[in-house]
Amino acid sequence: MTQKTNNFSALITLITVFFFWGFIAASNGVFIPFCKDFFKLSQFQSQLIDSAFYGAYYFGALFIYLYSSRKRIDLINSWGYKKSIIFGLIISAIGAILMIPAIYTGSFSFILISLFILAIGFCLQQTSANPFTISLGPPETGSHRLNLAGGINSLGTTIGPIVLSIILFGGIMNTTADIKNMNILYLFVALLFLLLAYFLKKSKNLPNTQNHSIVSSSPKASKLLTKLTIIIILISSISLINNVQQSDILSTLTLFILLLLIILTLSRPLFIKNKKSQEWGAMKYPQLILGMIAIFCYVGVEVTIQSNLGALLKTPEFGAISESNNSHFIAMYWGSLMIGRWLGAITIFNPSKLIKNILYILVPYLAFLIVLFFINLRGSDIESLKLFSICVFVQIIGFLFGKDKPIKTLLIFSILATLAMIIGLMNTGLVSIYAFLSGGLFCSIMWPCIFSLSIAGLNKYTSQGSSFLIMMILGGAIIPPIQGKIADIWNIHNSYIITILCFIYIGFFALKVKEILQKQGVNYE
């Protein structure tokens, strides 16, 4: 009984950690437009917040992979899940503490460094927390615990922009922001992370799953990732130098060259015949290579829609909504992800067909009402969001047509997302805002679909393939600055054309992966 209680306590602690991952990441949607005005940044420069935050995931996951591959022992498993999460919490706490002097001195570069360190901790936590959550009970109910944690993570993404808006502007009715109010948030976050780390350390009865499993070395995969990292650092530096010199055309060109080189480098194994498993590891499988690019596009488009939303809402065509009054739209975007994830979790509990169809209607609208409730607490006008229920209905129809089949569902949602982005580009005002916000609804199920399809049939390379996919969170660091640069040269509204390209590729992946898996005798439909 004691062990069971302790495991429940650990689950609650982990759920709290999941919540703050979402809380901090979604808060960037409010913080980005504020920093743009406060530091007098271009749209491209403001998106460097995302580059620092999501780029940390790539470098953190890359370090773990290269270290484990070189030493031929899984670093996370050798530490144990609990200890790895503790280390991650401490690193994130250091990043949060560093945000305080960064904000106090008003140094944007210092803020970016602090966010990078905070996100490095998040990377370590997330790499450990998912399997740790599964280990806190029977394996057959592990997915239930992960979906519970994922749902709470989405709740954090919904609440984060609202709370940050209140903190940043010093109250519900204020319209004048003070960046030093951010110290309150990051001091609280730092103390909370340290408290959670202390709790985990002192809970001696909590499992610390640990083994010294041998990791297969994949030298050619390691070489390719090292080459990719050099390309990212080199080309990104050139783009930043050109931007400082106010050479917009050269800076834009180098960013597109970077994007092209990332895709070409990742695609290279697809064109090599007779690849040996001991040399390429998981990269031998085409579904993984295409899936890595799909995850790159997915994270990139999910992040860039909301990261550039604040600048879009400030334009006259979209209501000239200031940073102090835009949090309800940003919260609804992240809330729409929560709506979709709650909807996607229904089948886990194996309800009857009748109950499932009823829940398909009730659960998303219940989630929608919860999002409106939290937005209303901010004092924002929810009248402008009520008709968004129509978009929720479209998502439900998409789920019903998908019939719980990952390939079919992914294809339907990528088509719906593409159409939504086209509608957003062809209109202005509330219709366009709804269209862009609905991108969150259609993104909501893409991660699990892409992830599961990408690692299907990898067998002993499943763990390695999962690590490679985590690295592709890099898309959140690359796509938003590219959209920002397009906005600087063209305009913020038309810059959303990049979202269409991302969703088109995800649709292509859904079609291509079905063919690939069928050839390998893997049936996901």
Side-chain angles (χ1 to χ4, degrees), residues 9-28:
S9 300
L11 182 60
I12 296 300
T13 303
L14 285 180
I15 285 174
T16 304
V17 173
F18 273 83
F19 175 87
F20 274 93
W21 294 339
F23 183 96
I24 297 296
S27 297
N28 288 345

Side-chain angles (χ1 to χ4, degrees), residues 90-137:
I90 292 172
I91 293 171
S92 291
I94 292 171
I97 290 169
L98 287 175
M99 278 291 286
I100 297 173
I103 289 168
Y104 185 78
T105 57
S107 170
F108 184 62
S109 298
F110 197 176
I111 288 173
L112 295 179
I113 293 170
S114 303
L115 280 173
F116 182 87
I117 294 171
L118 188 148
I120 285 285
F122 278 9
C123 173
L124 184 54
Q125 292 170 51
Q126 290 195 31
T127 305
S128 314
N130 288 298
F132 188 43
T133 302
I134 292 174
S135 73
L136 295 177

Side-chain angles (χ1 to χ4, degrees), residues 317-318 423-424 426-433 493:
E317 298 85 357
F318 287 84
I423 292 170
M426 293 178 65
N427 294 275
T428 57
L430 203 56
V431 171
S432 183
I433 293 172
H493 187 195

